[in-house]
PDB file of all heavy atoms in Angstrom:
ATOM      1  N   MET Y 731     -24.147  -8.114  27.766  1.00 64.00           N
ATOM      2  CA  MET Y 731     -23.262  -7.650  26.699  1.00 64.00           C
ATOM      3  C   MET Y 731     -22.945  -6.162  26.796  1.00 64.00           C
ATOM      4  O   MET Y 731     -22.132  -5.649  26.040  1.00 64.00           O
ATOM      5  CB  MET Y 731     -23.888  -7.952  25.329  1.00 64.00           C
ATOM      6  CG  MET Y 731     -24.066  -9.424  25.035  1.00 64.00           C
ATOM      7  SD  MET Y 731     -22.506 -10.330  25.160  1.00 64.00           S
ATOM      8  CE  MET Y 731     -21.608  -9.572  23.813  1.00 64.00           C
ATOM      9  N   ALA Y 995     -25.139  -3.306  20.858  1.00 92.00           N
ATOM     10  CA  ALA Y 995     -25.884  -4.061  21.868  1.00 92.00           C
ATOM     11  C   ALA Y 995     -26.884  -3.150  22.583  1.00 92.00           C
ATOM     12  O   ALA Y 995     -28.044  -3.532  22.822  1.00 92.00           O
ATOM     13  CB  ALA Y 995     -24.907  -4.684  22.872  1.00 92.00           C
ATOM     14  N   LEU Y 998     -29.936  -2.477  20.297  1.00 95.00           N
ATOM     15  CA  LEU Y 998     -30.842  -3.631  20.198  1.00 95.00           C
ATOM     16  C   LEU Y 998     -31.660  -3.807  21.487  1.00 95.00           C
ATOM     17  O   LEU Y 998     -32.883  -3.995  21.438  1.00 95.00           O
ATOM     18  CB  LEU Y 998     -30.036  -4.894  19.894  1.00 95.00           C
ATOM     19  CG  LEU Y 998     -29.571  -5.039  18.440  1.00 95.00           C
ATOM     20  CD1 LEU Y 998     -28.479  -6.094  18.320  1.00 95.00           C
ATOM     21  CD2 LEU Y 998     -30.751  -5.409  17.531  1.00 95.00           C
ATOM     22  N   TYR Y 999     -30.983  -3.761  22.638  1.00 95.00           N
ATOM     23  CA  TYR Y 999     -31.695  -3.938  23.904  1.00 95.00           C
ATOM     24  C   TYR Y 999     -32.729  -2.826  24.109  1.00 95.00           C
ATOM     25  O   TYR Y 999     -33.872  -3.070  24.502  1.00 95.00           O
ATOM     26  CB  TYR Y 999     -30.701  -3.938  25.070  1.00 95.00           C
ATOM     27  CG  TYR Y 999     -30.119  -5.306  25.382  1.00 95.00           C
ATOM     28  CD1 TYR Y 999     -29.086  -5.837  24.613  1.00 95.00           C
ATOM     29  CD2 TYR Y 999     -30.599  -6.074  26.446  1.00 95.00           C
ATOM     30  CE1 TYR Y 999     -28.541  -7.082  24.884  1.00 95.00           C
ATOM     31  CE2 TYR Y 999     -30.061  -7.310  26.729  1.00 95.00           C
ATOM     32  CZ  TYR Y 999     -29.032  -7.823  25.956  1.00 95.00           C
ATOM     33  OH  TYR Y 999     -28.516  -9.049  26.240  1.00 95.00           O
ATOM     34  N   ASN Y1025     -18.146 -10.147  15.181  1.00 82.00           N
ATOM     35  CA  ASN Y1025     -18.281 -10.662  16.545  1.00 82.00           C
ATOM     36  C   ASN Y1025     -19.231 -11.860  16.510  1.00 82.00           C
ATOM     37  O   ASN Y1025     -20.403 -11.730  16.151  1.00 82.00           O
ATOM     38  CB  ASN Y1025     -18.841  -9.556  17.454  1.00 82.00           C
ATOM     39  CG  ASN Y1025     -18.739  -9.948  18.916  1.00 82.00           C
ATOM     40  OD1 ASN Y1025     -18.761 -11.124  19.264  1.00 82.00           O
ATOM     41  ND2 ASN Y1025     -18.643  -8.944  19.780  1.00 82.00           N
ATOM     42  N   SER Y1026     -18.720 -13.018  16.877  1.00 81.00           N
ATOM     43  CA  SER Y1026     -19.530 -14.229  16.782  1.00 81.00           C
ATOM     44  C   SER Y1026     -20.712 -14.231  17.758  1.00 81.00           C
ATOM     45  O   SER Y1026     -21.601 -15.073  17.646  1.00 81.00           O
ATOM     46  CB  SER Y1026     -18.660 -15.465  17.047  1.00 81.00           C
ATOM     47  OG  SER Y1026     -18.112 -15.415  18.355  1.00 81.00           O
ATOM     48  N   SER Y1027     -20.712 -13.273  18.701  1.00 87.00           N
ATOM     49  CA  SER Y1027     -21.811 -13.239  19.676  1.00 87.00           C
ATOM     50  C   SER Y1027     -22.985 -12.380  19.200  1.00 87.00           C
ATOM     51  O   SER Y1027     -23.908 -12.134  19.982  1.00 87.00           O
ATOM     52  CB  SER Y1027     -21.294 -12.710  21.021  1.00 87.00           C
ATOM     53  OG  SER Y1027     -20.856 -11.368  20.894  1.00 87.00           O
ATOM     54  N   LEU Y1028     -22.968 -11.913  17.950  1.00 91.00           N
ATOM     55  CA  LEU Y1028     -24.049 -11.037  17.465  1.00 91.00           C
ATOM     56  C   LEU Y1028     -25.408 -11.718  17.617  1.00 91.00           C
ATOM     57  O   LEU Y1028     -26.374 -11.097  18.085  1.00 91.00           O
ATOM     58  CB  LEU Y1028     -23.799 -10.648  16.003  1.00 91.00           C
ATOM     59  CG  LEU Y1028     -24.917  -9.843  15.332  1.00 91.00           C
ATOM     60  CD1 LEU Y1028     -25.179  -8.535  16.076  1.00 91.00           C
ATOM     61  CD2 LEU Y1028     -24.575  -9.565  13.870  1.00 91.00           C
ATOM     62  N   VAL Y1029     -25.493 -12.980  17.221  1.00 93.00           N
ATOM     63  CA  VAL Y1029     -26.770 -13.687  17.314  1.00 93.00           C
ATOM     64  C   VAL Y1029     -27.203 -13.792  18.778  1.00 93.00           C
ATOM     65  O   VAL Y1029     -28.390 -13.599  19.106  1.00 93.00           O
ATOM     66  CB  VAL Y1029     -26.661 -15.094  16.672  1.00 93.00           C
ATOM     67  CG1 VAL Y1029     -27.967 -15.865  16.850  1.00 93.00           C
ATOM     68  CG2 VAL Y1029     -26.328 -14.964  15.188  1.00 93.00           C
ATOM     69  N   SER Y1030     -26.232 -14.021  19.686  1.00 93.00           N
ATOM     70  CA  SER Y1030     -26.559 -14.103  21.113  1.00 93.00           C
ATOM     71  C   SER Y1030     -27.054 -12.773  21.646  1.00 93.00           C
ATOM     72  O   SER Y1030     -27.950 -12.726  22.506  1.00 93.00           O
ATOM     73  CB  SER Y1030     -25.326 -14.545  21.903  1.00 93.00           C
ATOM     74  OG  SER Y1030     -24.886 -15.818  21.477  1.00 93.00           O
ATOM     75  N   VAL Y1031     -26.490 -11.652  21.143  1.00 94.00           N
ATOM     76  CA  VAL Y1031     -26.933 -10.327  21.568  1.00 94.00           C
ATOM     77  C   VAL Y1031     -28.391 -10.114  21.163  1.00 94.00           C
ATOM     78  O   VAL Y1031     -29.215  -9.635  21.962  1.00 94.00           O
ATOM     79  CB  VAL Y1031     -26.034  -9.226  20.952  1.00 94.00           C
ATOM     80  CG1 VAL Y1031     -26.606  -7.833  21.244  1.00 94.00           C
ATOM     81  CG2 VAL Y1031     -24.617  -9.329  21.510  1.00 94.00           C
ATOM     82  N   VAL Y1032     -28.739 -10.467  19.922  1.00 95.00           N
ATOM     83  CA  VAL Y1032     -30.118 -10.315  19.446  1.00 95.00           C
ATOM     84  C   VAL Y1032     -31.055 -11.180  20.293  1.00 95.00           C
ATOM     85  O   VAL Y1032     -32.126 -10.731  20.726  1.00 95.00           O
ATOM     86  CB  VAL Y1032     -30.220 -10.682  17.957  1.00 95.00           C
ATOM     87  CG1 VAL Y1032     -31.681 -10.680  17.502  1.00 95.00           C
ATOM     88  CG2 VAL Y1032     -29.411  -9.695  17.117  1.00 95.00           C
ATOM     89  N   GLU Y1033     -30.652 -12.441  20.533  1.00 95.00           N
ATOM     90  CA  GLU Y1033     -31.487 -13.330  21.347  1.00 95.00           C
ATOM     91  C   GLU Y1033     -31.670 -12.757  22.754  1.00 95.00           C
ATOM     92  O   GLU Y1033     -32.770 -12.805  23.319  1.00 95.00           O
ATOM     93  CB  GLU Y1033     -30.838 -14.715  21.414  1.00 95.00           C
ATOM     94  CG  GLU Y1033     -30.913 -15.483  20.103  1.00 95.00           C
ATOM     95  CD  GLU Y1033     -30.162 -16.800  20.177  1.00 95.00           C
ATOM     96  OE1 GLU Y1033     -29.191 -16.890  20.967  1.00 95.00           O
ATOM     97  OE2 GLU Y1033     -30.540 -17.729  19.449  1.00 95.00           O
ATOM     98  N   GLY Y1034     -30.573 -12.192  23.345  1.00 94.00           N
ATOM     99  CA  GLY Y1034     -30.658 -11.623  24.684  1.00 94.00           C
ATOM    100  C   GLY Y1034     -31.591 -10.419  24.732  1.00 94.00           C
ATOM    101  O   GLY Y1034     -32.363 -10.252  25.685  1.00 94.00           O
ATOM    102  N   ALA Y1035     -31.548  -9.564  23.706  1.00 95.00           N
ATOM    103  CA  ALA Y1035     -32.419  -8.384  23.657  1.00 95.00           C
ATOM    104  C   ALA Y1035     -33.885  -8.804  23.563  1.00 95.00           C
ATOM    105  O   ALA Y1035     -34.757  -8.217  24.215  1.00 95.00           O
ATOM    106  CB  ALA Y1035     -32.027  -7.495  22.481  1.00 95.00           C
ATOM    107  N   LEU Y1036     -34.182  -9.815  22.735  1.00 96.00           N
ATOM    108  CA  LEU Y1036     -35.566 -10.294  22.598  1.00 96.00           C
ATOM    109  C   LEU Y1036     -36.038 -10.955  23.897  1.00 96.00           C
ATOM    110  O   LEU Y1036     -37.170 -10.749  24.341  1.00 96.00           O
ATOM    111  CB  LEU Y1036     -35.659 -11.277  21.431  1.00 96.00           C
ATOM    112  CG  LEU Y1036     -35.456 -10.683  20.019  1.00 96.00           C
ATOM    113  CD1 LEU Y1036     -35.338 -11.796  18.988  1.00 96.00           C
ATOM    114  CD2 LEU Y1036     -36.615  -9.750  19.669  1.00 96.00           C
ATOM    115  N   ARG Y1037     -35.142 -11.757  24.482  1.00 95.00           N
ATOM    116  CA  ARG Y1037     -35.521 -12.485  25.697  1.00 95.00           C
ATOM    117  C   ARG Y1037     -35.781 -11.525  26.863  1.00 95.00           C
ATOM    118  O   ARG Y1037     -36.776 -11.649  27.583  1.00 95.00           O
ATOM    119  CB  ARG Y1037     -34.418 -13.479  26.050  1.00 95.00           C
ATOM    120  CG  ARG Y1037     -34.722 -14.349  27.274  1.00 95.00           C
ATOM    121  CD  ARG Y1037     -33.671 -15.444  27.432  1.00 95.00           C
ATOM    122  NE  ARG Y1037     -32.331 -14.911  27.522  1.00 95.00           N
ATOM    123  CZ  ARG Y1037     -31.415 -15.010  26.562  1.00 95.00           C
ATOM    124  NH1 ARG Y1037     -31.711 -15.632  25.433  1.00 95.00           N
ATOM    125  NH2 ARG Y1037     -30.204 -14.499  26.709  1.00 95.00           N
ATOM    126  N   THR Y1065     -24.548 -16.046   9.542  1.00 90.00           N
ATOM    127  CA  THR Y1065     -25.085 -15.241  10.650  1.00 90.00           C
ATOM    128  C   THR Y1065     -26.494 -14.757  10.320  1.00 90.00           C
ATOM    129  O   THR Y1065     -27.400 -14.811  11.168  1.00 90.00           O
ATOM    130  CB  THR Y1065     -24.164 -14.038  10.918  1.00 90.00           C
ATOM    131  OG1 THR Y1065     -22.858 -14.530  11.273  1.00 90.00           O
ATOM    132  CG2 THR Y1065     -24.704 -13.176  12.051  1.00 90.00           C
ATOM    133  N   SER Y1068     -28.936 -17.501  10.721  1.00 93.00           N
ATOM    134  CA  SER Y1068     -29.241 -17.761  12.129  1.00 93.00           C
ATOM    135  C   SER Y1068     -30.255 -16.754  12.657  1.00 93.00           C
ATOM    136  O   SER Y1068     -31.174 -17.106  13.411  1.00 93.00           O
ATOM    137  CB  SER Y1068     -27.958 -17.704  12.966  1.00 93.00           C
ATOM    138  OG  SER Y1068     -27.043 -18.691  12.555  1.00 93.00           O
ATOM    139  N   LEU Y1069     -30.103 -15.477  12.272  1.00 93.00           N
ATOM    140  CA  LEU Y1069     -31.066 -14.455  12.688  1.00 93.00           C
ATOM    141  C   LEU Y1069     -32.442 -14.741  12.093  1.00 93.00           C
ATOM    142  O   LEU Y1069     -33.471 -14.580  12.752  1.00 93.00           O
ATOM    143  CB  LEU Y1069     -30.578 -13.068  12.250  1.00 93.00           C
ATOM    144  CG  LEU Y1069     -29.309 -12.544  12.947  1.00 93.00           C
ATOM    145  CD1 LEU Y1069     -28.852 -11.238  12.316  1.00 93.00           C
ATOM    146  CD2 LEU Y1069     -29.572 -12.335  14.435  1.00 93.00           C
ATOM    147  N   ILE Y1072     -34.319 -17.343  13.975  1.00 94.00           N
ATOM    148  CA  ILE Y1072     -34.953 -16.860  15.204  1.00 94.00           C
ATOM    149  C   ILE Y1072     -36.342 -16.302  14.912  1.00 94.00           C
ATOM    150  O   ILE Y1072     -37.234 -16.340  15.753  1.00 94.00           O
ATOM    151  CB  ILE Y1072     -34.065 -15.774  15.860  1.00 94.00           C
ATOM    152  CG1 ILE Y1072     -32.712 -16.352  16.260  1.00 94.00           C
ATOM    153  CG2 ILE Y1072     -34.753 -15.153  17.066  1.00 94.00           C
ATOM    154  CD1 ILE Y1072     -31.717 -15.291  16.717  1.00 94.00           C
TER     155      ILE Y1072
END
Side-chain angles (χ1 to χ4, degrees):
M731 296 304 295
L998 283 164
Y999 273 79
N1025 191 332
S1026 61
S1027 64
L1028 175 59
V1029 176
S1030 300
V1031 172
V1032 173
E1033 289 175 332
L1036 292 170
R1037 182 172 56 252
T1065 300
S1068 298
L1069 293 174
I1072 298 171

